[in-house]
Amino acid sequence: MFDKNAVAKKPPMGWNSYDYYDTTVTEKDVRVNAEYMAAHLKPYGYEYIVIDIQWSDPNAGKNRPKEQYINFSHLCLDEYSRQIPAENRFPSSRNGAGFKPLSDYIHSLGLKFGIHIMRGIPRYAAHTHMKLKGTDVTADQIANPFSISKWNGDMYGVLHDRPGAQEYYNSLFELYAQWGVDFVKVDDICNTNMYEKNPYSAEKEIEMIHRAIAACGRPMVLSLSPGPAVIEKAWHLEKYANMWRITDDFWDDWRLLKAMFERCEVWQKHVSEGCFPDCDMLPVGRLGKGFMNERSTKFTWDEQKTMMTLWCMFRSPLMIGADLPQLDKATLELLTNRDVLYLATDCHGARQVSQDSEHAVWTCRDNNRNNYIALFNLSDTEAEIEASLEDIGVSEIHFLEDLWEHQIVDPQQKPSKTGKISAIVPPHGVALYRTTYGDGRLCQNQ
Amino acid sequence: MFDKNAVAKKPPMGWNSYDYYDTTVTEKDVRVNAEYMAAHLKPYGYEYIVIDIQWSDPNAGKNRPKEQYINFSHLCLDEYSRQIPAENRFPSSRNGAGFKPLSDYIHSLGLKFGIHIMRGIPRYAAHTHMKLKGTDVTADQIANPFSISKWNGDMYGVLHDRPGAQEYYNSLFELYAQWGVDFVKVDDICNTNMYEKNPYSAEKEIEMIHRAIAACGRPMVLSLSPGPAVIEKAWHLEKYANMWRITDDFWDDWRLLKAMFERCEVWQKHVSEGCFPDCDMLPVGRLGKGFMNERSTKFTWDEQKTMMTLWCMFRSPLMIGADLPQLDKATLELLTNRDVLYLATDCHGARQVSQDSEHAVWTCRDNNRNNYIALFNLSDTEAEIEASLEDIGVSEIHFLEDLWEHQIVDPQQKPSKTGKISAIVPPHGVALYRTTYGDGRLCQNQ
Amino acid sequence: MFDKNAVAKKPPMGWNSYDYYDTTVTEKDVRVNAEYMAAHLKPYGYEYIVIDIQWSDPNAGKNRPKEQYINFSHLCLDEYSRQIPAENRFPSSRNGAGFKPLSDYIHSLGLKFGIHIMRGIPRYAAHTHMKLKGTDVTADQIANPFSISKWNGDMYGVLHDRPGAQEYYNSLFELYAQWGVDFVKVDDICNTNMYEKNPYSAEKEIEMIHRAIAACGRPMVLSLSPGPAVIEKAWHLEKYANMWRITDDFWDDWRLLKAMFERCEVWQKHVSEGCFPDCDMLPVGRLGKGFMNERSTKFTWDEQKTMMTLWCMFRSPLMIGADLPQLDKATLELLTNRDVLYLATDCHGARQVSQDSEHAVWTCRDNNRNNYIALFNLSDTEAEIEASLEDIGVSEIHFLEDLWEHQIVDPQQKPSKTGKISAIVPPHGVALYRTTYGDGRLCQNQ
Amino acid sequence: MFDKNAVAKKPPMGWNSYDYYDTTVTEKDVRVNAEYMAAHLKPYGYEYIVIDIQWSDPNAGKNRPKEQYINFSHLCLDEYSRQIPAENRFPSSRNGAGFKPLSDYIHSLGLKFGIHIMRGIPRYAAHTHMKLKGTDVTADQIANPFSISKWNGDMYGVLHDRPGAQEYYNSLFELYAQWGVDFVKVDDICNTNMYEKNPYSAEKEIEMIHRAIAACGRPMVLSLSPGPAVIEKAWHLEKYANMWRITDDFWDDWRLLKAMFERCEVWQKHVSEGCFPDCDMLPVGRLGKGFMNERSTKFTWDEQKTMMTLWCMFRSPLMIGADLPQLDKATLELLTNRDVLYLATDCHGARQVSQDSEHAVWTCRDNNRNNYIALFNLSDTEAEIEASLEDIGVSEIHFLEDLWEHQIVDPQQKPSKTGKISAIVPPHGVALYRTTYGDGRLCQNQ
């Protein structure tokens, strides 16, 4: 019995090439990032190395800064309308090897390998009536000329009720299984924003991809982009996918981070084993080279802690956007705080306690009777953020540990007396606490 | 520590005056319905007797059939801008007794007493600058002249940030507690459909009412109307209310019943102790007298079984719309099938397995390792409806009982061989099964 | 000085192949319709013979009834990305002759020749990087992969700010001028309904086409489809086009005809020399063969008179949809009532006097002090329709002629006494009157 | 025969109390503004003195700056539910005199008198069941509790199909005729923005007011607010009103002025005798005292010339917003440039020649073969703005006069040579020219 949840019992953690390399990532870039991960991040649970968009376009990035994607570029295709890596960028893919050699190398480091695809079939294949594997029909017979992406001109959607449609998707995942792919990020599928009145228009393509993964015999995480996902379709996403983006692309901009609280509010009840609403990559460290906008993250340290706290408590997947080899020590520590990562990996029941434009409070718990409370300051000035024990759902608190500062909070502030937990929090910052019933222990996961 | 969930650990069950009496219900009508419930329905869990809209208007119903509500009617008010029962309709309320005598009688039958209110403050009170209890401000100072209902002209919304606003709501619930009210259905508050771009505009009034209930000292179920509730605000509803309507008014029309499957699909993850998305009253038996459209329900028997099955599996509150004394035997049996009611009272984890315009499959489970499967035929012709064991999440099935037919299903159809459960289902009908792992028992709750 | 209005001082009148032939019209069909027009309709002002959509597709209609257009069909193109007639359907176009021989024949009959095109450039040309005439750039460099039609998959919109874009459109109209084209119906351009929030998204393509017509040296009527045109852009349409559709496709369905009154209401002030809001073809006579739905018009006679009256008074273009050789005598008379056609050709100032869901009254005037009044019954039962002289804007009326019945109205009904004009009108029908100040003459134009 | 156009053959010109006094204007303020107008502006055509909103509220402005209007304030009403002037603000209205004494004074200065009203009937009258004149029904029977303004809480809309409804409006205008009112600005009626999907919801109230004016026997200009008016309903506005606002409130903010070009673009075909789309008051000079924001206009001189040019060429009504006694010499000259005012009073056929985000060109003509061309620079930097003679519709130009600079343009720039008219125009500024065929005359109207 195929269980799509088995491959992602906890939120997937890893690295994605997009935030730094945009469409231009090469085999060499992937290897050095994987090597860094194996050395520095794997012990903390990070394991996926994901190659993002446009790996089949030999000219990707050449029209920068005018255009992100090259309209009508001739993508590298095999005889069955399937995209294959551009050899000039991924030399080991020569002679039909595809991503197999690179994937093997990633696996040899103890990591897992992921790729990005756009839903659908190349437009060029449809217009030139190319063949499909495992069926007599041709690409034009399954392509939908009215199903396009709003932002990338490569593909047409696939008509699910046409003979050959499922066979086409099966042929894709058969190939990806041969390559050793562990993770597929499918794009223009979660919110097909070209179609404003029907953003979930690719529903049937999600089902075809789900079946193709089941059929290919290799477990793969199914990640859907872009957001915002449609909350009314939560049941369908939970049934067929492992993670789905709940926002449009996320970047190092406070307004986007602040808006994420509203998205997490909406999706808080929909997090479970194999089902992870996705807040998108963590835009920390060095970013933007492929976009011709290379920089260090514009987030302040407080904002970065706010982000890590929210992502972990909400149990979003944790995909690092930075160029890993350039990570500084502080950012590495931010990403490897065991106490904070523990929220993502071992806690549950996260819920928003209160929220307005100035603040948010979240809480979750672990299996050891500990509660976790995050007090977020969403305003632009330092403020006292508080939550009542009643709202948090605990009757008394013996010890309170600050998980970012790694210290036990001053007993003078014992909340049992006031019925509240509160903290002075810097602008855009967070105070994150663990409460314990028994004897306090300092930051057990350090 | 006030826990708003304690008052409704299971879905509230009872009777509401609206479907039969509209705005015209009288004290005598309420008493005879209560007496019937005590005699025939209480043993199955039904307990609330709820008086619906317009009990303070002495002329309610007089403009029928032209108008449902009488614009600018002079409602019965006390000196503090609070509505009191119209004495010509509720004689025991004389001399300032309010609903206390009637409530006492309901309680003497072992039942619970509920009332309907519109959110806000009477418009007349605002225009004539009436007093409020417990504060120096007057009605005009807390009323919002731009916050109105789309369908009833009695009230203005209350400005939550004005001095006296909370005091006003507190004064209402103080009165209701004196009356012995156990259940309050607040209207024009869940979806304020006058404001199309902001249907959850009464958010702060929900919070004020929640606080007023906490302050009044008497537990009361808080029921919010009308729907459709806004799924993005699920967390807020779950925090402050006990039940909230997920559709507009529901009546005996197949299109509305079919549409309910889409609403339940959306809300399936949001059912828990004290938190019950509400499919609205059960329009069975005799209906519509107050609407000048008296009739027996237009639902077929198959549709009625479909409705009961969905409401119970989804754990909607179960409020009967019929005039109870006129219930026929078959309808009474429909409402008192212990095996079906058991889904509402003791099962959990209900979820939609599949759905399209022709069919729906739902499943849930109890604490004894039993699974329940409902196969709904949403089409207009008899059809075989099926579900795979994989989708239901069970690996094998020993016995299969039909909970409407009260019989063990023919072993020839044992699903373990086919990997499926299926049934031939009449149009708009349902087959409802319990699966057991051990020795089969026939319909244990009968 | 190029004056785009000079080519259409009066509303264009003629025939269009779509309503009967859909995408399947052939050279022979065009010839026999032209011959009929020359013999029977030309004396009344009809002169345009227009070949509608898909004349470059050799397989057009082959997927009927499943699909109207064949996705990814290989259209006939010349070396410069320009569509040319499919030789199997238009034999005289062989050897690069294009539509020239057929156009010559039409002209030899004293008629004018028109064609339909979709805005943009063939998608195939863009994906295969075809050449453009008069420029070094290729099709992919001017095509917009995100600008598509909602209902036909052949073309991409053209990016107006790219080098080569105007040259491409110039090359099209240079070819059409060589062919002898007098009328161009450009489709997917007036309301680009793929883009719901920006239905006038092809604004710049209208300007390019306007310039290409000016540059080609041959006068051509520019007709834009489909509607509804965007009233806020009336000034732009009036500046650049000769006629533009004010509704979506119009067919022989009373609901569509009734709805046209609301469209004419909106556009009544925007009719002038060279500027004609377009109510679409007249679906009379035999219709629908190419749609596999051959029939006589479903309009009643009263509805047909209503349609002709509204189109003529509003001065819509008059393009016949019927297969002309099959016209019966009554329909021919309907189309050639000189008194009614006179409204379209020689009257002005048409305006709606009143309208509701049951009736409409329109009036216009000629240059001889005559007023025309149309009393439309939009209801489903016979009714008296009336208009006050004040509303019509005349102070007294000496004679009143009925232009459909060709008779002077009974003096008993003289409106000067009552201050009104009224008539008993059949359901969906019309009474059309001319008022004169001097001595009455019976239907002067007969 | 009542002709509603006769009272406004040319765009109404005058003064309105709102921009300076908001809700607080008093009898004395009105008198001194009228006296100034009689002395300085009347010779140029300005004649209306209009008292804007809230003249019946004795407490108007008392809640500033918190609220513009006082919710639930007890307005001054006569026994028939009609508002009468607040005596504390308009002392001459004592003893039931109403506005008659003030109106008489305005008339004695050779000027005309106007008032503002909100559509509908006072809410207080409906809730207290007040009488109506000329009918037995009471206010509650004609008031619509669901028809409210989005921004002022005084009134309910009137149900047009109820007995007494027309009688109520007749009683209002009977009173206004007794007072000597010449101009009525009716508010919350042109765009009833409370009802987003039906902004023209007060259509029937416009018709009732039109009939009430016809019935009252005194000519009155009917001015409708606020905008934006609904272009689809242009025919209805043209049939029943004299002027209607095409934007929301206009203030001294460049963004609003720039946006007016788009509104004028839409409405350009809808200007005729008695029918004037209204760009709102001219916020020049001293503004905002009643708003607690007293200031001189924030418009630059170039912006003010742009505004006057557009208003005059488009033939908008010209209602001055300034406090007249405080007008400085330059502003007075701006408002009294005879050559520019001549566009509003004696020209016609105004149309937009071209427009984009950087510029606009308009043209119109008079009856003496002169053309007028306005070259607007909508950008933030000085720019050359040009228009082709072809676009303007003239073949050659002999003389060109600058109507703001009062000079003949340098012959070196003669447009006949270049086929263009062009000018270097400052940011947000305008160049306004008159072309003549015969011998040039310098600024004939000076």
Side-chain angles (χ1 to χ4, degrees), chain C residues 1-2 231-233 235 238-239 265-266 268-270 272 352-355 389-391 393-394, chain D residues 1-2 231-233 235 238-239 265-266 268-270 272 352-355 389-391 393-395:
Chain C
M1 200 161 95
F2 176 67
I231 184 66
E232 283 83 359
K233 295 295 181 174
W235 81 279
E238 292 171 40
K239 181 166 181 186
E265 173 186 310
V266 168
Q268 58 186 291
K269 277 270 176 130
H270 298 275
S272 61
Q352 182 180 276
V353 172
S354 65
Q355 197 239 325
L389 297 191
E390 180 178 327
D391 274 351
V394 298
Chain D
M1 199 160 93
F2 177 66
I231 183 66
E232 283 83 358
K233 295 294 182 176
W235 80 280
E238 292 171 40
K239 182 165 179 184
E265 173 187 311
V266 168
Q268 58 186 289
K269 277 267 174 132
H270 298 275
S272 62
Q352 182 179 277
V353 172
S354 65
Q355 195 238 325
L389 297 192
E390 181 178 328
D391 274 349
V394 299
S395 49

Side-chain angles (χ1 to χ4, degrees), chain C residues 128-139:
Chain C
T128 60
H129 300 194
M130 284 180 72
K131 283 193 296 184
L132 304 179
K133 188 158 187 279
T135 171
D136 287 339
V137 308
T138 47

Side-chain angles (χ1 to χ4, degrees), chain A residues 23-30 53-62 70 73-77 84-99 102:
Chain A
T23 63
T24 68
V25 69
T26 67
E27 181 165 358
K28 179 157 169 288
D29 302 328
V30 175
I53 196 163
Q54 226 64 10
W55 43 259
S56 78
D57 186 351
N59 299 308
K62 294 279 171 61
I70 301 175
S73 189
H74 286 164
L75 306 177
C76 296
L77 303 179
I84 53 176
E87 294 183 11
N88 62 333
R89 295 169 52 200
F90 299 93
S92 73
S93 72
R94 269 190 292 254
N95 304 317
F99 274 131
L102 180 54

Side-chain angles (χ1 to χ4, degrees), chain A residues 368-371 373 389 392 394-402 407-421 433-442:
Chain A
N368 303 316
R369 302 180 64 210
N370 298 313
N371 285 278
I373 300 103
L389 297 191
I392 295 166
V394 298
S395 49
E396 63 172 331
I397 291 175
H398 292 259
F399 286 88
L400 200 59
E401 301 165 66
D402 183 318
Q407 62 185 25
I408 293 181
V409 173
D410 179 352
Q412 295 305 104
Q413 295 186 0
K414 264 194 190 168
S416 295
K417 293 180 183 160
T418 60
K420 290 181 184 177
I421 293 179
Y433 297 117
R434 171 166 47 217
T435 71
T436 59
Y437 286 94
D439 296 317
R441 293 148 299 128
L442 194 57

